[in-house]
Every structure is written in C-alpha cells, then in structure tokens.
Amino acid sequence: MNRSSKGFGLTGVFATVLFLVVAAVVSASANSEEAPVQAQTQQQSR
C-alpha cells in the first residue's frame, strides 16, 4: 500500500512539475509575441 501511495505521489509531483514547465514556456512565448504587437499598435496610433 505504501508503494502505490508513494508511486502516485511521485507521479503527481512529476505531472505538476511538467505542467509548470509547460505553463512557463507558453507564458514566455506569449509575452515575447505580445511585445511587437503592442509596439506596432503604438506606432500606428501616432
């Protein structure tokens, strides 16, 4: 019983870490894509 509980815990930790890494990459990617769009919008409005 301890093994299955420990295995599930490790799986949960691994899944959480993987999710956080993917979220960080998506966030960084979205931020880098938004910057030029904002710059273009500001230039067009002037």
Side-chain angles (χ1 to χ4, degrees):
M1 193 125 190
N2 285 341
R3 282 187 180 179
S4 63
S5 176
K6 184 178 180 182
F8 178 76
L10 290 176
T11 303
V13 170
F14 179 74
T16 303
V17 170
L18 184 64
F19 174 77
L20 291 176
V21 169
V22 170
V25 170
V26 170
S27 176
S29 156
N31 286 340
S32 65
E33 289 177 7
E34 287 177 5
V37 173
Q38 291 175 351
Q40 290 175 359
T41 304
Q42 290 176 353
Q43 288 175 356
Q44 290 174 354
S45 63
R46 289 183 183 172

Short mmCIF file of all heavy atoms in Angstrom, two decimals:
data_model
loop_
_atom_site.label_atom_id
_atom_site.label_comp_id
_atom_site.label_asym_id
_atom_site.label_seq_id
_atom_site.Cartn_x
_atom_site.Cartn_y
_atom_site.Cartn_z
N MET A 1 0.83 -1.19 0.00
CA MET A 1 0.00 0.00 0.00
C MET A 1 0.87 1.25 0.00
O MET A 1 0.57 2.22 -0.67
CB MET A 1 -0.89 -0.03 1.23
CG MET A 1 -1.99 0.98 1.19
SD MET A 1 -3.56 0.14 1.42
CE MET A 1 -4.67 1.44 1.04
N ASN A 2 1.96 1.20 0.73
CA ASN A 2 2.84 2.36 0.76
C ASN A 2 3.46 2.61 -0.61
O ASN A 2 3.65 3.75 -1.01
CB ASN A 2 3.95 2.16 1.81
CG ASN A 2 3.43 2.34 3.21
OD1 ASN A 2 2.37 2.94 3.41
ND2 ASN A 2 4.15 1.82 4.20
N ARG A 3 3.79 1.51 -1.31
CA ARG A 3 4.41 1.69 -2.61
C ARG A 3 3.47 2.38 -3.59
O ARG A 3 3.86 3.29 -4.30
CB ARG A 3 4.81 0.32 -3.18
CG ARG A 3 6.08 -0.21 -2.58
CD ARG A 3 6.52 -1.47 -3.30
NE ARG A 3 7.73 -2.00 -2.73
CZ ARG A 3 8.33 -3.11 -3.15
NH1 ARG A 3 7.79 -3.79 -4.13
NH2 ARG A 3 9.43 -3.52 -2.59
N SER A 4 2.22 1.92 -3.64
CA SER A 4 1.28 2.53 -4.57
C SER A 4 1.03 3.98 -4.19
O SER A 4 0.94 4.85 -5.04
CB SER A 4 -0.04 1.75 -4.60
OG SER A 4 -0.66 1.81 -3.33
N SER A 5 0.98 4.27 -2.90
CA SER A 5 0.76 5.64 -2.45
C SER A 5 1.98 6.49 -2.82
O SER A 5 1.84 7.61 -3.32
CB SER A 5 0.54 5.67 -0.94
OG SER A 5 0.42 6.99 -0.49
N LYS A 6 3.17 5.96 -2.59
CA LYS A 6 4.39 6.70 -2.92
C LYS A 6 4.51 6.89 -4.42
O LYS A 6 4.87 7.97 -4.90
CB LYS A 6 5.60 5.94 -2.39
CG LYS A 6 6.91 6.68 -2.60
CD LYS A 6 8.08 5.90 -2.01
CE LYS A 6 9.39 6.63 -2.21
NZ LYS A 6 10.54 5.89 -1.70
N GLY A 7 4.16 5.85 -5.18
CA GLY A 7 4.24 5.96 -6.64
C GLY A 7 3.28 7.00 -7.16
O GLY A 7 3.59 7.79 -8.04
N PHE A 8 2.09 7.03 -6.60
CA PHE A 8 1.11 8.03 -7.02
C PHE A 8 1.61 9.43 -6.68
O PHE A 8 1.48 10.36 -7.46
CB PHE A 8 -0.23 7.77 -6.34
CG PHE A 8 -1.26 8.79 -6.69
CD1 PHE A 8 -1.89 8.76 -7.92
CD2 PHE A 8 -1.60 9.79 -5.80
CE1 PHE A 8 -2.84 9.70 -8.26
CE2 PHE A 8 -2.55 10.74 -6.12
CZ PHE A 8 -3.17 10.70 -7.36
N GLY A 9 2.26 9.55 -5.51
CA GLY A 9 2.80 10.85 -5.10
C GLY A 9 3.88 11.32 -6.06
O GLY A 9 3.90 12.48 -6.47
N LEU A 10 4.78 10.42 -6.43
CA LEU A 10 5.84 10.78 -7.36
C LEU A 10 5.27 11.13 -8.72
O LEU A 10 5.72 12.06 -9.38
CB LEU A 10 6.84 9.62 -7.49
CG LEU A 10 7.69 9.37 -6.25
CD1 LEU A 10 8.56 8.13 -6.47
CD2 LEU A 10 8.54 10.57 -5.93
N THR A 11 4.25 10.39 -9.14
CA THR A 11 3.60 10.69 -10.41
C THR A 11 2.94 12.05 -10.36
O THR A 11 3.03 12.84 -11.30
CB THR A 11 2.54 9.61 -10.73
OG1 THR A 11 3.18 8.33 -10.74
CG2 THR A 11 1.89 9.87 -12.07
N GLY A 12 2.30 12.36 -9.25
CA GLY A 12 1.67 13.67 -9.08
C GLY A 12 2.69 14.79 -9.12
O GLY A 12 2.47 15.83 -9.74
N VAL A 13 3.81 14.60 -8.43
CA VAL A 13 4.87 15.61 -8.43
C VAL A 13 5.41 15.80 -9.84
O VAL A 13 5.60 16.92 -10.30
CB VAL A 13 6.01 15.19 -7.47
CG1 VAL A 13 7.23 16.10 -7.65
CG2 VAL A 13 5.52 15.24 -6.03
N PHE A 14 5.66 14.69 -10.54
CA PHE A 14 6.18 14.77 -11.91
C PHE A 14 5.20 15.50 -12.82
O PHE A 14 5.58 16.35 -13.61
CB PHE A 14 6.46 13.36 -12.43
CG PHE A 14 6.98 13.36 -13.84
CD1 PHE A 14 8.28 13.75 -14.11
CD2 PHE A 14 6.17 12.97 -14.90
CE1 PHE A 14 8.77 13.75 -15.41
CE2 PHE A 14 6.64 12.98 -16.20
CZ PHE A 14 7.95 13.37 -16.45
N ALA A 15 3.92 15.16 -12.69
CA ALA A 15 2.90 15.80 -13.52
C ALA A 15 2.81 17.29 -13.21
O ALA A 15 2.69 18.12 -14.12
CB ALA A 15 1.55 15.14 -13.28
N THR A 16 2.92 17.66 -11.94
CA THR A 16 2.86 19.07 -11.56
C THR A 16 4.05 19.83 -12.11
O THR A 16 3.90 20.92 -12.66
CB THR A 16 2.83 19.20 -10.02
OG1 THR A 16 1.71 18.46 -9.52
CG2 THR A 16 2.74 20.64 -9.59
N VAL A 17 5.24 19.27 -11.97
CA VAL A 17 6.45 19.92 -12.49
C VAL A 17 6.34 20.08 -14.00
O VAL A 17 6.65 21.13 -14.55
CB VAL A 17 7.70 19.11 -12.12
CG1 VAL A 17 8.94 19.63 -12.84
CG2 VAL A 17 7.92 19.16 -10.61
N LEU A 18 5.89 19.04 -14.68
CA LEU A 18 5.75 19.09 -16.14
C LEU A 18 4.75 20.18 -16.53
O LEU A 18 5.00 20.96 -17.45
CB LEU A 18 5.29 17.73 -16.66
CG LEU A 18 5.18 17.61 -18.18
CD1 LEU A 18 6.56 17.77 -18.81
CD2 LEU A 18 4.60 16.26 -18.55
N PHE A 19 3.63 20.25 -15.81
CA PHE A 19 2.62 21.27 -16.10
C PHE A 19 3.20 22.67 -15.89
O PHE A 19 2.98 23.56 -16.71
CB PHE A 19 1.40 21.06 -15.20
CG PHE A 19 0.39 22.15 -15.33
CD1 PHE A 19 -0.45 22.19 -16.43
CD2 PHE A 19 0.29 23.14 -14.36
CE1 PHE A 19 -1.39 23.21 -16.55
CE2 PHE A 19 -0.64 24.15 -14.48
CZ PHE A 19 -1.47 24.20 -15.58
N LEU A 20 3.93 22.87 -14.81
CA LEU A 20 4.50 24.20 -14.53
C LEU A 20 5.52 24.59 -15.60
O LEU A 20 5.58 25.75 -16.00
CB LEU A 20 5.16 24.20 -13.15
CG LEU A 20 4.19 24.11 -11.97
CD1 LEU A 20 4.96 24.02 -10.66
CD2 LEU A 20 3.26 25.31 -11.95
N VAL A 21 6.32 23.64 -16.06
CA VAL A 21 7.31 23.93 -17.10
C VAL A 21 6.60 24.32 -18.39
O VAL A 21 6.95 25.31 -19.04
CB VAL A 21 8.23 22.71 -17.34
CG1 VAL A 21 9.08 22.90 -18.58
CG2 VAL A 21 9.11 22.49 -16.12
N VAL A 22 5.57 23.57 -18.78
CA VAL A 22 4.82 23.88 -19.99
C VAL A 22 4.15 25.25 -19.86
O VAL A 22 4.18 26.05 -20.79
CB VAL A 22 3.77 22.78 -20.28
CG1 VAL A 22 2.83 23.20 -21.40
CG2 VAL A 22 4.47 21.47 -20.62
N ALA A 23 3.56 25.52 -18.70
CA ALA A 23 2.91 26.81 -18.48
C ALA A 23 3.92 27.95 -18.57
O ALA A 23 3.62 29.01 -19.14
CB ALA A 23 2.23 26.82 -17.12
N ALA A 24 5.11 27.76 -18.04
CA ALA A 24 6.14 28.80 -18.09
C ALA A 24 6.58 29.05 -19.54
O ALA A 24 6.76 30.20 -19.95
CB ALA A 24 7.34 28.39 -17.25
N VAL A 25 6.73 28.00 -20.31
CA VAL A 25 7.14 28.15 -21.72
C VAL A 25 6.05 28.86 -22.50
O VAL A 25 6.34 29.77 -23.29
CB VAL A 25 7.44 26.76 -22.34
CG1 VAL A 25 7.62 26.87 -23.85
CG2 VAL A 25 8.68 26.16 -21.69
N VAL A 26 4.81 28.49 -22.30
CA VAL A 26 3.70 29.13 -23.01
C VAL A 26 3.61 30.59 -22.62
O VAL A 26 3.41 31.46 -23.46
CB VAL A 26 2.38 28.39 -22.71
CG1 VAL A 26 1.18 29.18 -23.23
CG2 VAL A 26 2.40 27.00 -23.32
N SER A 27 3.79 30.88 -21.34
CA SER A 27 3.72 32.26 -20.85
C SER A 27 4.85 33.09 -21.46
O SER A 27 4.63 34.20 -21.92
CB SER A 27 3.81 32.28 -19.33
OG SER A 27 3.82 33.60 -18.87
N ALA A 28 6.04 32.55 -21.47
CA ALA A 28 7.18 33.28 -22.03
C ALA A 28 6.98 33.48 -23.53
O ALA A 28 7.26 34.56 -24.06
CB ALA A 28 8.47 32.50 -21.77
N SER A 29 6.46 32.48 -24.20
CA SER A 29 6.21 32.58 -25.63
C SER A 29 5.14 33.64 -25.91
O SER A 29 5.27 34.44 -26.82
CB SER A 29 5.76 31.22 -26.15
OG SER A 29 5.03 31.35 -27.32
N ALA A 30 4.09 33.66 -25.11
CA ALA A 30 3.01 34.65 -25.30
C ALA A 30 3.54 36.05 -25.03
O ALA A 30 3.22 36.99 -25.75
CB ALA A 30 1.85 34.32 -24.38
N ASN A 31 4.35 36.22 -24.01
CA ASN A 31 4.89 37.54 -23.69
C ASN A 31 5.80 38.04 -24.80
O ASN A 31 5.75 39.21 -25.16
CB ASN A 31 5.67 37.49 -22.37
CG ASN A 31 4.76 37.37 -21.17
OD1 ASN A 31 3.59 37.68 -21.25
ND2 ASN A 31 5.31 36.91 -20.05
N SER A 32 6.61 37.18 -25.38
CA SER A 32 7.52 37.60 -26.44
C SER A 32 6.76 37.94 -27.72
O SER A 32 7.18 38.77 -28.50
CB SER A 32 8.56 36.52 -26.72
OG SER A 32 7.94 35.36 -27.24
N GLU A 33 5.60 37.31 -27.93
CA GLU A 33 4.81 37.60 -29.12
C GLU A 33 3.98 38.87 -28.95
O GLU A 33 3.71 39.56 -29.92
CB GLU A 33 3.86 36.43 -29.41
CG GLU A 33 4.60 35.19 -29.93
CD GLU A 33 3.68 34.02 -30.15
OE1 GLU A 33 2.46 34.22 -30.04
OE2 GLU A 33 4.17 32.93 -30.45
N GLU A 34 3.59 39.19 -27.72
CA GLU A 34 2.75 40.36 -27.49
C GLU A 34 3.54 41.66 -27.63
O GLU A 34 3.01 42.67 -28.03
CB GLU A 34 2.12 40.29 -26.11
CG GLU A 34 1.01 39.26 -26.02
CD GLU A 34 0.45 39.15 -24.62
OE1 GLU A 34 0.87 39.94 -23.76
OE2 GLU A 34 -0.39 38.28 -24.39
N ALA A 35 4.82 41.65 -27.30
CA ALA A 35 5.61 42.88 -27.29
C ALA A 35 5.63 43.56 -28.66
O ALA A 35 5.32 44.74 -28.76
CB ALA A 35 7.01 42.59 -26.79
N PRO A 36 5.96 42.86 -29.75
CA PRO A 36 5.97 43.53 -31.07
C PRO A 36 4.58 44.02 -31.47
O PRO A 36 4.45 45.06 -32.08
CB PRO A 36 6.45 42.44 -32.02
CG PRO A 36 7.12 41.44 -31.16
CD PRO A 36 6.43 41.51 -29.83
N VAL A 37 3.54 43.29 -31.11
CA VAL A 37 2.18 43.70 -31.47
C VAL A 37 1.86 45.01 -30.77
O VAL A 37 1.31 45.92 -31.37
CB VAL A 37 1.18 42.61 -31.07
CG1 VAL A 37 -0.26 43.09 -31.27
CG2 VAL A 37 1.43 41.36 -31.89
N GLN A 38 2.22 45.15 -29.52
CA GLN A 38 1.96 46.38 -28.79
C GLN A 38 2.76 47.53 -29.40
O GLN A 38 2.26 48.64 -29.52
CB GLN A 38 2.33 46.22 -27.31
CG GLN A 38 1.37 45.28 -26.59
CD GLN A 38 1.81 45.02 -25.15
OE1 GLN A 38 2.90 45.41 -24.77
NE2 GLN A 38 0.97 44.36 -24.39
N ALA A 39 4.00 47.27 -29.80
CA ALA A 39 4.83 48.31 -30.39
C ALA A 39 4.20 48.76 -31.73
O ALA A 39 4.16 49.95 -32.02
CB ALA A 39 6.24 47.79 -30.62
N GLN A 40 3.72 47.83 -32.52
CA GLN A 40 3.09 48.19 -33.79
C GLN A 40 1.83 49.00 -33.56
O GLN A 40 1.56 49.95 -34.26
CB GLN A 40 2.75 46.92 -34.58
CG GLN A 40 3.98 46.20 -35.11
CD GLN A 40 3.62 44.89 -35.77
OE1 GLN A 40 2.45 44.52 -35.81
NE2 GLN A 40 4.61 44.18 -36.28
N THR A 41 1.06 48.64 -32.57
CA THR A 41 -0.18 49.36 -32.27
C THR A 41 0.12 50.79 -31.86
O THR A 41 -0.54 51.72 -32.28
CB THR A 41 -0.95 48.65 -31.14
OG1 THR A 41 -1.17 47.29 -31.53
CG2 THR A 41 -2.28 49.31 -30.88
N GLN A 42 1.15 50.97 -31.05
CA GLN A 42 1.51 52.32 -30.63
C GLN A 42 2.01 53.15 -31.80
O GLN A 42 1.69 54.33 -31.91
CB GLN A 42 2.59 52.25 -29.55
CG GLN A 42 2.07 51.71 -28.22
CD GLN A 42 3.17 51.55 -27.19
OE1 GLN A 42 4.34 51.73 -27.52
NE2 GLN A 42 2.81 51.20 -25.97
N GLN A 43 2.76 52.57 -32.71
CA GLN A 43 3.27 53.30 -33.86
C GLN A 43 2.12 53.68 -34.80
O GLN A 43 2.11 54.76 -35.35
CB GLN A 43 4.29 52.44 -34.62
CG GLN A 43 5.60 52.30 -33.86
CD GLN A 43 6.56 51.35 -34.58
OE1 GLN A 43 6.19 50.77 -35.59
NE2 GLN A 43 7.75 51.21 -34.06
N GLN A 44 1.16 52.80 -34.97
CA GLN A 44 0.03 53.07 -35.86
C GLN A 44 -0.87 54.17 -35.29
O GLN A 44 -1.42 54.96 -36.03
CB GLN A 44 -0.79 51.80 -36.08
CG GLN A 44 -0.05 50.78 -36.92
CD GLN A 44 -0.81 49.46 -37.03
OE1 GLN A 44 -1.83 49.30 -36.37
NE2 GLN A 44 -0.31 48.53 -37.81
N SER A 45 -1.00 54.25 -33.97
CA SER A 45 -1.89 55.23 -33.38
C SER A 45 -1.29 56.64 -33.42
O SER A 45 -1.99 57.62 -33.27
CB SER A 45 -2.20 54.84 -31.92
OG SER A 45 -1.03 54.87 -31.17
N ARG A 46 0.01 56.76 -33.65
CA ARG A 46 0.63 58.08 -33.67
C ARG A 46 0.46 58.74 -34.98
O ARG A 46 0.41 58.68 -35.98
CB ARG A 46 2.14 57.96 -33.38
CG ARG A 46 2.37 57.59 -31.93
CD ARG A 46 3.83 57.55 -31.64
NE ARG A 46 4.05 57.13 -30.26
CZ ARG A 46 5.20 56.86 -29.75
NH1 ARG A 46 6.29 56.96 -30.46
NH2 ARG A 46 5.33 56.50 -28.50
#
